[in-house]
Amino acid sequence: MKPVLKKCVWLIALSSLVVVAGCHNKKKDNIEPPTPLAKDFKPTAKVSELWTARIGDGAGDSGVRMRPAVVDGVLYAASTDGDVAAFDAANGKTLWSNKSRTHGWFGWGDKKRKDAFYAGGPAVSGDLLAIGTLDGHVYGMSSKDGSPRWTADLKSEVITAPVIVGDLVLVRTQDGRVYGLDKATGDRRWVYDQGNVPLLSVRGNGPLLAANGVVFFGSDDGKLVALRQDTGDKLWEQRLASGEGRTDIERLNDADGAVVLDGTTLYSTAYHGSLEAIDGPSGRPLWNREFSSFGSPDVGGNAVYAVNDESQVWAFDKSGGADQWKNGVLKYRWLTSPAVQGNYVVVGDVEGYVHWLQTGDGALAARERLSKKAIRAQPLVIGDTVYVEDIKGHIGAYRLSMR
């Protein structure tokens, strides 16, 4: 049986789509419809589809952002219905695949991991693949063939990809904890407990960022937190959001996106909060802009790119936060977090389209369609190729002709 999710009120972010819902309520009342795409659009950049593939049923209705990983020319992906697989990143050929759940009258399959509802996506380093599940486990397996190595039981949903650094696997759980697990055995080395997690929050967690012996992440109560990588002790925290208003939703604070490091400067956003630049070593704020977002920023050249809570794409000067441009053509298309690819910014949308915008002025440059299903996870850029995954497990690889 699929694990029962917490019986509380959620604010679910479908990319940037906000839905106030109970655990199984899928009503989408009062949601702005996506802005129609221009039918006479003429691309100014050349994008070609390299291949498409599929991994199980993807994220399904779990609300998590399933994102593949690419390491040494291999793309790794997983699904919440128990599939994990490796593909040749150049041509999409399946290298290996494993299904964890049992099937059929005879129960064939991997009985040891029969309830592995993978979530968030895999992390790969060397010959280790680590991935979390909706039922609170983390599995370590061989990246060469998917064979099992170890299991860690953390008791709460793991809905973002782990991070493998040094001899640790770093994992964040939905109950506000961050774990340092032994890379070889999965044994617990340390745990950081955020304390009380807000009852109302954005569905999802931003991935952990490990750099220079420090682990950074945005918390469910709107803070940027820095931990010691070796012990999990807190070094500093900085508030990113302080939602105000009469209703619980108006007062909602959540830093749900990834933290981006550029040099020694951290960039982060929060819902009902700000886009903020922070000095990494000290935690000292450098500048901030009022900016509400469900996702992550990205940095390229001299600019920071971010998508606000109405799915408008913005560019800011990274040294001081001044506006460079704003593109509202994709408003209410509930975009993914942006990813910088050379002179372009790439986003996916709720109808399965992938868009490329020029970094110089924000003008739309190219458009491709993966499927008719929503793309929630940030596109993955590897050189001239971008990989995207929709909520039903369709994966597409697109090559941008840099010119």
Side-chain angles (χ1 to χ4, degrees):
M1 179 179 293
K2 194 167 185 175
V4 178
L5 304 175
K6 293 181 179 179
K7 293 184 178 180
C8 60
V9 178
W10 285 347
L11 185 68
I12 302 179
L14 306 181
S15 288
S16 300
L17 174 60
V18 183
V19 181
V20 180
C23 291
H24 302 290
N25 188 346
K26 298 180 180 178
K27 292 183 179 180
K28 300 180 181 179
D29 299 334
N30 301 318
I31 300 301
E32 293 287 348
T35 300
L37 297 177
K39 295 182 179 179
D40 59 351
F41 171 69
K42 295 180 180 180
T44 59
K46 183 178 180 181
V47 175
S48 55
E49 180 186 286
L50 298 180
W51 55 264
T52 60
R54 188 167 183 179
I55 178 71
D57 286 331
D61 60 359
S62 66
V64 302
R65 303 166 187 167
M66 297 295 283
R67 191 185 192 211
V70 173
V71 179
D72 296 332
V74 179
L75 182 143
Y76 301 89
S79 67
T80 55
D81 61 332
D83 285 358
V84 60
F87 303 87
D88 187 309
N91 56 33
K93 179 182 178 181
T94 301
L95 302 178
W96 59 260
S97 64
N98 280 346
K99 179 175 284 293
S100 64
R101 296 179 63 193
T102 55
H103 291 270
W105 293 100
F106 301 103
W108 58 270
D110 185 345
K111 293 184 178 180
K112 292 182 179 180
R113 294 179 292 169
K114 62 182 179 180
D115 296 321
F117 299 93
Y118 300 125
V124 176
S125 178
D127 63 353
L128 178 67
L129 182 153
I131 189 167
T133 73
L134 293 176
D135 60 356
H137 292 94
V138 178
Y139 293 105
M141 59 188 75
S142 168
S143 64
K144 307 303 180 185
D145 58 14
S147 57
R149 296 275 185 82
W150 49 258
T151 302
D153 186 359
L154 304 184
K155 307 299 184 183
S156 180
E157 289 181 301
V158 180
I159 59 176
T160 190
V163 174
I164 305 173
V165 55
D167 61 353
L168 289 175
V169 177
L170 304 173
V171 182
R172 182 178 183 181
T173 54
Q174 187 72 348
D175 61 359
R177 292 181 171 90
V178 177
Y179 294 85
L181 306 179
D182 187 282
K183 178 181 176 181
T185 64
D187 293 339
R188 187 180 306 177
R189 294 267 199 90
W190 55 258
V191 58
Y192 167 80
D193 190 348
Q194 175 184 327
N196 295 326
V197 176
L199 292 178
L200 189 65
S201 66
V202 175
R203 172 63 168 166
N205 281 328
L208 301 168
L209 169 66
N212 304 316
V214 182
V215 182
F216 303 96
F217 65 97
S219 69
D220 292 321
D221 57 356
K223 297 175 182 176
L224 177 60
V225 181
L227 310 177
R228 282 188 53 154
Q229 181 180 300
D230 56 349
T231 64
D233 294 331
K234 184 165 67 175
L235 297 173
W236 53 259
E237 65 179 36
Q238 184 65 238
R239 179 162 291 282
L240 299 172
S242 54
E244 298 177 354
R246 292 179 297 177
T247 69
D248 289 337
I249 293 177
E250 289 173 338
R251 293 190 296 270
L252 175 64
N253 302 323
D254 199 338
D256 195 46
V259 181
V260 177
L261 178 65
D262 183 66
T264 60
T265 302
L266 300 164
Y267 297 92
S268 187
T269 57
Y271 183 58
H272 287 161
S274 61
L275 168 64
E276 191 143 357
I278 295 173
D279 179 67
S282 67
R284 177 175 58 88
L286 301 175
W287 58 261
N288 67 80
R289 286 290 307 267
E290 184 176 341
F291 192 81
S292 180
S293 176
F294 306 115
S296 314
D298 202 6
V299 177
N302 295 317
V304 181
Y305 304 92
V307 175
N308 69 9
D309 56 10
E310 293 184 334
S311 282
Q312 296 168 310
V313 186
W314 288 70
F316 302 94
D317 177 76
K318 75 176 185 181
S319 63
D323 297 358
Q324 291 188 348
W325 51 259
K326 177 181 76 171
N327 186 315
V329 173
L330 303 176
K331 189 175 182 179
Y332 301 132
R333 295 197 66 81
W334 311 118
L335 305 176
T336 67
S337 299
V340 176
Q341 185 180 28
N343 295 323
Y344 300 90
V345 178
V346 192
V347 291
D349 76 15
V350 73
E351 293 181 334
Y353 286 96
V354 187
H355 307 270
W356 284 258
L357 293 73
Q358 296 179 11
T359 56
D361 58 8
L364 288 176
R367 181 170 74 208
E368 294 287 333
R369 194 172 198 180
L370 171 63
S371 69
K372 295 183 179 181
K373 302 299 182 180
I375 302 169
R376 293 180 190 157
Q378 182 183 33
L380 175 63
V381 172
I382 306 292
D384 64 355
T385 304
V386 61
Y387 302 92
V388 293
E389 180 177 345
D390 72 10
I391 61 171
K392 294 301 290 183
H394 299 105
I395 300 172
Y398 301 92
R399 174 163 293 159
L400 171 68
S401 296
M402 303 288 192
R403 61 183 183 181

